[in-house]
């Protein structure tokens, strides 16, 4: 029996008629309306590089920007991102990758996306906020503020596991030097250190736990000694690779010494080490200890957000340490003036921002209504013009919780998977920019 004749496939791929494809097109138009955004990204990509006319053609600034947005918007890893860019017609069109063009490898994508600095992402966000103001999506007359925590990509820190991290990392670097022909003397104590970590974890008596800690400290100190002897040899006699390994050794020696010091003080001498002096990861040493409402402890950085009535995130501040919310109130208000050229008329804040000094300072800035979710000794008449206005602003503030929940669930705002403080800040701003692009696109579609 003869098969039915099949229709000829179209020569051009058509964009699918799907809500997600239409949203990508709307985001693309928003980016096209601000050509300076691609110029800012291009500056970061060219910084520190010599421009040449020869060699392979790399990613354009626009492609880097758009692939970063796609990665965050859909939650793809660098391993899966190249496949989806090659497989999806809509994503290729959005990222300005031609049908016949070869897609980029994950190494090129990771390297180029990481080149975009936090300052550039912040400038991009301000351009989007300005576009929202021009199109009357967000006027900035009413704003709500709240803080959340983005965690670093680290394991739950204990003194024993941090010491073990130092032992195994220093041993790995020393082994790398040995494989490159550098004569270094050391003994691999990784297995013994791991047994001591388990002994600490399962110790039934305090004397057993301290004995295991003493041996673990002894092993960590030995590894630091091996590394100190190997560093000058690596830097002077092992070429460029040895210099790089020697620099890495220096960094991890310093971090391991800090872990040894805090463990001796806390475990052996019974001191209470302040949070500002503690190190909770030798891989992400910038990580802060954030205690929230005396209930939960997080390891990352506090992030303070300002959100308008349209759900547009107008501003974002990544703090160092664990400052009280009340210390951030005036900073966030003054940044609103930088963005819009004036202070908002109405502000709604979480109860942690409340204080008499902050209320007085806000009123001096001609803000008519200032609502703190918890009064903390303040009267409604001092904050707002009436009880009705206070209740309305209090309900309005609750909306910021929904925005924070959305970006945590959908845009990776709960945990940063990039390494280093600079990359942490870029990660936060990329999530913020992506959220605002989606908000603006949906506002235009409404």
């Amino acid at each position: 029996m003869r098969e039915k004749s099949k229709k000829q496939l179209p020569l051009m791929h058509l964009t699918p008629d799907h809500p997600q494809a239409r949203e990508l097109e709307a985001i693309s138009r928003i980016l096209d309306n601000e050509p300076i955004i691609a110029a800012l990204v291009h500056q970061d990509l060219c910084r520190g590089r010599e421009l040449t006319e020869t060699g392979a053609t790399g990613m354009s600034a626009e492609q880097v920007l758009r692939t970063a947005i796609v990665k965050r918007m859909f939650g793809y890893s660098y391993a899966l991102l190249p496949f989806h860019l090659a497989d999806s017609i809509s994503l290729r069109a959005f990222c300005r990758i031609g049908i016949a063009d070869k897609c980029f490898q994950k190494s090129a994508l990771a390297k180029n996306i990481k080149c975009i600095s936090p300052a550039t992402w912040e400038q991009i966000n301000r351009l989007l906020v300005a576009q929202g103001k021009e199109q009357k999506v967000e006027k900035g007359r009413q704003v709500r503020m709240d803080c959340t925590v983005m965690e670093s990509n680290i394991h739950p820190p204990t003194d024993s596991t941090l010491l073990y991290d130092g032992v195994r990392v220093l041993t790995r670097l020393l082994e790398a030097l040995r494989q490159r022909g550098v004569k270094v003397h050391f003994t691999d104590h990784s297995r013994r250190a791991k047994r001591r970590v388990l002994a600490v974890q399962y110790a039934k008596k305090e004397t057993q736990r301290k004995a295991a800690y003493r041996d673990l400290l002894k092993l960590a100190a030995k590894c630091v000694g091996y590394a100190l002897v190997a560093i000058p040899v690596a830097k002077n006699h092992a070429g460029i690779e040895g210099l790089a390994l020697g620099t890495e050794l220096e960094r991890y020696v310093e971090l391991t010494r800090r872990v040894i010091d805090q463990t001796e003080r806390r475990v052996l001498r019974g001191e209470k080490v302040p949070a500002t002096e503690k190190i909770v990861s030798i891989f992400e040493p910038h990580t802060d200890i954030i205690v929230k409402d005396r209930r939960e402890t997080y390891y990352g950085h506090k992030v303070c957000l300002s959100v308008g009535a349209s759900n547009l995130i107008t501003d974002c501040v990544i703090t160092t340490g664990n400052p009280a919310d009340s210390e951030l109130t005036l900073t966030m208000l003054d940044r609103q003036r930088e963005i819009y050229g004036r202070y908002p008329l109405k502000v709604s804040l979480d109860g942690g921002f409340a204080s008499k000094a902050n209320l007085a300072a806000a009123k001096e800035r001609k803000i008519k209504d200032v609502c703190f979710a918890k009064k903390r000794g303040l009267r409604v008449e001092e904050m707002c013009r009436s009880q009705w206005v206070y209740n309305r602003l209090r309900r309005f503030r609750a909306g910021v919780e929904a925005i924070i929940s959305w970006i945590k669930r959908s845009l990776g705002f709960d945990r940063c998977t990039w390494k280093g403080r600079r990359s942490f800040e870029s990660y936060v701003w990329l999530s913020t920019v992506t959220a605002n692009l989606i908000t603006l696109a949906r506002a235009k579609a409404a």
Side-chain angles (χ1 to χ4, degrees), residues 351-372:
F353 293 89
S355 74
K356 290 185 178 180
N358 285 337
L359 177 60
K363 292 295 184 180
E364 287 176 3
R365 288 161 170 76
K366 308 300 181 184
I367 300 174
K368 290 185 177 180
D369 299 301
V370 182
C371 169
F372 296 110

Side-chain angles (χ1 to χ4, degrees), residues 61-338:
E62 201 165 28
Q63 287 173 333
V64 174
L65 171 69
R66 289 167 180 256
T67 52
I69 292 165
V70 165
K71 183 182 185 303
R72 186 52 44 83
M73 191 173 175
F74 296 100
Y76 298 144
S77 64
Y78 281 117
L80 288 177
L81 183 59
F83 167 74
H84 289 287
L85 291 177
D87 186 64
S88 172
I89 300 166
S90 297
L91 294 185
R92 289 180 77 95
F94 176 77
C95 295
R96 305 290 166 85
I97 302 172
I99 296 296
D101 291 345
K102 188 177 179 181
C103 203
F104 305 104
Q105 299 296 318
K106 67 175 184 179
S107 56
L109 291 166
K111 182 179 179 181
N112 286 302
I113 290 173
K114 290 288 186 68
C115 283
I116 307 177
S117 67
T120 298
W121 284 120
E122 183 175 359
Q123 285 181 283
I124 292 171
N125 191 67
R126 293 207 174 186
L127 289 169
L128 295 177
V129 170
Q131 190 175 146
K133 181 182 177 183
E134 290 174 8
Q135 297 172 0
K136 298 182 179 179
V137 174
E138 177 56 60
K139 297 179 181 179
R141 306 300 280 171
Q142 186 170 298
V143 68
R144 44 197 164 183
M145 300 175 183
D146 200 1
C147 289
T148 186
V149 177
M150 180 180 281
E151 293 186 282
S152 300
N153 194 26
I154 64 172
H155 60 72
T158 62
D159 291 321
S160 59
T161 55
L162 290 175
L163 287 169
Y164 174 60
D165 286 341
V167 170
R168 65 186 182 85
V169 170
L170 291 175
T171 302
R172 173 169 54 80
L173 293 172
L174 291 168
E175 182 61 35
L177 281 173
R178 177 178 284 176
Q179 290 177 0
R180 283 163 177 78
V182 181
K183 292 183 179 180
V184 290
H185 172 71
F186 70 96
T187 303
D188 188 347
H189 298 296
S190 299
R191 292 180 64 184
R192 182 176 165 186
K194 187 173 184 179
R195 288 197 295 269
R196 295 301 174 268
V197 171
L198 294 174
V200 168
Q201 185 177 352
Y202 295 110
K204 294 181 179 180
K205 297 180 180 178
E206 184 67 17
T207 53
Q208 294 175 339
R209 192 174 71 90
K210 284 192 175 182
Y213 260 119
R214 285 192 180 93
D215 197 29
L216 191 53
L217 285 165
K218 181 180 176 181
L219 296 176
K222 280 186 177 181
C223 290
V224 168
Y226 298 148
L228 289 174
V229 174
I231 287 170
V233 179
K235 287 189 171 183
N236 297 327
H237 305 290
I240 296 176
E241 290 183 352
L243 181 63
L245 287 170
T247 304
E248 282 287 282
L249 278 171
E250 277 186 337
R251 186 163 72 93
Y252 283 111
V253 161
E254 178 60 30
L255 292 170
T256 305
R257 278 176 161 173
R258 288 179 61 186
V259 174
I260 291 171
D261 177 66
Q262 74 182 29
T263 304
E264 289 177 343
R265 290 169 62 189
R266 195 187 72 81
V267 177
L268 302 184
R269 297 201 292 268
E271 293 182 21
K272 188 174 181 180
V273 182
T276 53
E277 298 178 20
K278 285 183 181 177
I279 178 171
V280 294
S281 173
I282 66 170
F283 306 107
E284 301 291 336
H286 61 86
T287 303
D288 293 323
I289 302 171
I290 311 294
V291 180
K292 194 171 183 181
D293 297 332
R294 297 182 181 178
R295 292 174 292 133
E296 296 175 295
T297 302
Y298 297 91
Y299 302 99
H301 292 289
K302 180 181 280 190
V303 182
C304 198
L305 299 174
S306 297
V307 181
S310 65
N311 294 335
L312 201 70
I313 302 173
T314 59
D315 194 23
C316 171
V317 170
I318 305 154
T319 67
T320 299
N322 186 20
D325 290 355
S326 58
E327 297 176 15
L328 302 171
T329 307
L330 300 184
T331 300
M332 299 302 294
L333 291 176
D334 290 340
R335 285 173 66 91
Q336 286 296 298
R337 187 186 180 189
E338 290 177 19

